[in-house]
Amino acid sequence: MFTGIIQSKGNVVEVHSSDKGVVLVVSCNDLDLSDCSIGDSIAVNGACLTITELKENSFTFDVSQETLSCTNFSDVKKGQNVNLEKSLRFNQGIDGHLVSGHIDGVGEVISLDKEGASTRLKIKVNKDLTKYIAKKGSICINGVSLTVNSIETNIFDVNIVPHTWSWTNFGELIENSKVNIEIDIIARHIEQLISHDSSSGIDMSAFSKK
């Protein structure tokens, strides 16, 4: 689990194709890796990846074909910056929201507009995801916990404050950039409950509108 609070930016220094997907080597001089080990999880642009090799200031990940198919790693290139967050510890506070690191799809940036010191991003997503996205609800974009300002059809917008803009790779986004989207995990589980067959014996009346 993660919180959606980015701890550092990393740089993709190597990209190797393999028969199982892609191998990424990410360097990071600003993230403390002293408590990390091979087998640990790191959220890279919001996707939970497992460390397969660890050096003083870099780590290696295997990216499966499944992960490539539903994330922006299908377009990853050497020299690209990625957002990093180590997995949540039990003694750690949660400043964002609970994030699983399981990407639900890729969104497309359709506009970036300055509003004072902040930037408003409009992002288009697959219509299948829109039922999980609510005004003032939580959403994770490239691993960053954000609040939805509004949503219309399959386009939603979020506001990025200056610190987040400079601390993450959002400052490198342009129109048509692809970003990883993870919906609120609570919305996902509520849908599973509601759609469950009535033969399960679960009383769903509490979820019904009066």
Side-chain angles (χ1 to χ4, degrees), residues 165-189:
W165 189 259
S166 61
W167 184 250
T168 70
N169 61 8
F170 283 167
E172 301 165 25
L173 295 177
I174 58 174
E175 287 188 10
N176 302 317
S177 289
K178 300 296 191 295
V179 291
N180 290 334
I181 303 291
E182 182 185 333
I183 58 171
D184 188 353
I185 192 172
I186 296 175
R188 188 187 295 143
H189 285 293

Side-chain angles (χ1 to χ4, degrees), residues 136-159:
K136 301 307 177 185
S138 296
I139 197 161
C140 196
I141 303 173
N142 270 5
V144 182
S145 172
L146 294 166
T147 300
V148 177
N149 288 331
S150 64
I151 179 166
E152 185 174 349
T153 315
N154 64 327
I155 296 172
F156 70 93
D157 64 276
V158 292
N159 192 66

Side-chain angles (χ1 to χ4, degrees), residues 105-111 121-134 139 141 148 150-158 179 181 183:
V106 174
E108 179 183 352
V109 176
I110 62 172
S111 67
L121 291 184
K122 284 192 175 182
I123 297 174
K124 180 169 66 176
V125 295
N126 189 297
K127 289 183 179 180
D128 292 342
L129 292 183
T130 57
K131 61 184 175 181
Y132 305 106
I133 302 173
I139 197 161
I141 303 173
V148 177
S150 64
I151 179 166
E152 185 174 349
T153 315
N154 64 327
I155 296 172
F156 70 93
D157 64 276
V158 292
V179 291
I181 303 291
I183 58 171

Side-chain angles (χ1 to χ4, degrees), residues 1-207:
M1 296 296 292
F2 306 91
T3 68
I5 303 300
I6 301 304
Q7 296 168 327
S8 184
K9 280 187 289 189
N11 186 261
V12 177
V13 294
E14 294 181 37
V15 182
H16 304 291
S17 296
S18 73
D19 56 349
K20 297 181 180 179
V22 165
V23 176
L24 294 183
V25 181
V26 178
S27 70
C28 183
N29 295 320
D30 300 326
L31 188 64
D32 181 12
L33 303 180
S34 62
D35 59 347
C36 293
S37 304
I38 292 175
D40 285 354
S41 297
I42 301 277
V44 183
N45 271 1
C48 179
L49 300 180
T50 301
I51 299 173
T52 58
E53 184 177 346
L54 183 63
K55 296 183 179 179
E56 184 177 354
N57 63 348
S58 71
F59 26 62
T60 301
F61 306 98
D62 290 327
V63 184
S64 69
Q65 292 290 352
E66 169 64 21
T67 301
L68 290 174
S69 71
C70 63
T71 68
N72 58 12
F73 289 135
S74 59
D75 297 324
V76 69
K77 294 177 176 61
K78 182 178 178 179
Q80 180 178 331
N81 286 326
V82 289
N83 295 330
L84 301 174
E85 182 190 355
K86 295 188 289 187
S87 58
L88 177 65
R89 311 295 185 183
F90 280 113
N91 62 347
Q92 179 183 333
I94 300 176
D95 292 323
H97 71 280
L98 286 176
V99 174
S100 69
H102 300 155
I103 303 302
D104 294 290
V106 174
E108 179 183 352
V109 176
I110 62 172
S111 67
L112 308 90
D113 298 307
K114 283 292 183 183
E115 293 188 354
S118 298
T119 303
R120 184 178 293 264
L121 291 184
K122 284 192 175 182
I123 297 174
K124 180 169 66 176
V125 295
N126 189 297
K127 289 183 179 180
D128 292 342
L129 292 183
T130 57
K131 61 184 175 181
Y132 305 106
I133 302 173
K135 182 178 180 180
K136 301 307 177 185
S138 296
I139 197 161
C140 196
I141 303 173
N142 270 5
V144 182
S145 172
L146 294 166
T147 300
V148 177
N149 288 331
S150 64
I151 179 166
E152 185 174 349
T153 315
N154 64 327
I155 296 172
F156 70 93
D157 64 276
V158 292
N159 192 66
I160 313 298
V161 298
H163 170 76
T164 303
W165 189 259
S166 61
W167 184 250
T168 70
N169 61 8
F170 283 167
E172 301 165 25
L173 295 177
I174 58 174
E175 287 188 10
N176 302 317
S177 289
K178 300 296 191 295
V179 291
N180 290 334
I181 303 291
E182 182 185 333
I183 58 171
D184 188 353
I185 192 172
I186 296 175
R188 188 187 295 143
H189 285 293
I190 287 177
E191 186 204 31
Q192 177 66 18
L193 270 175
I194 293 175
S195 63
H196 202 280
D197 190 273
S198 59
S199 63
S200 65
I202 298 176
D203 181 7
M204 299 306 298
S205 60
F207 294 94

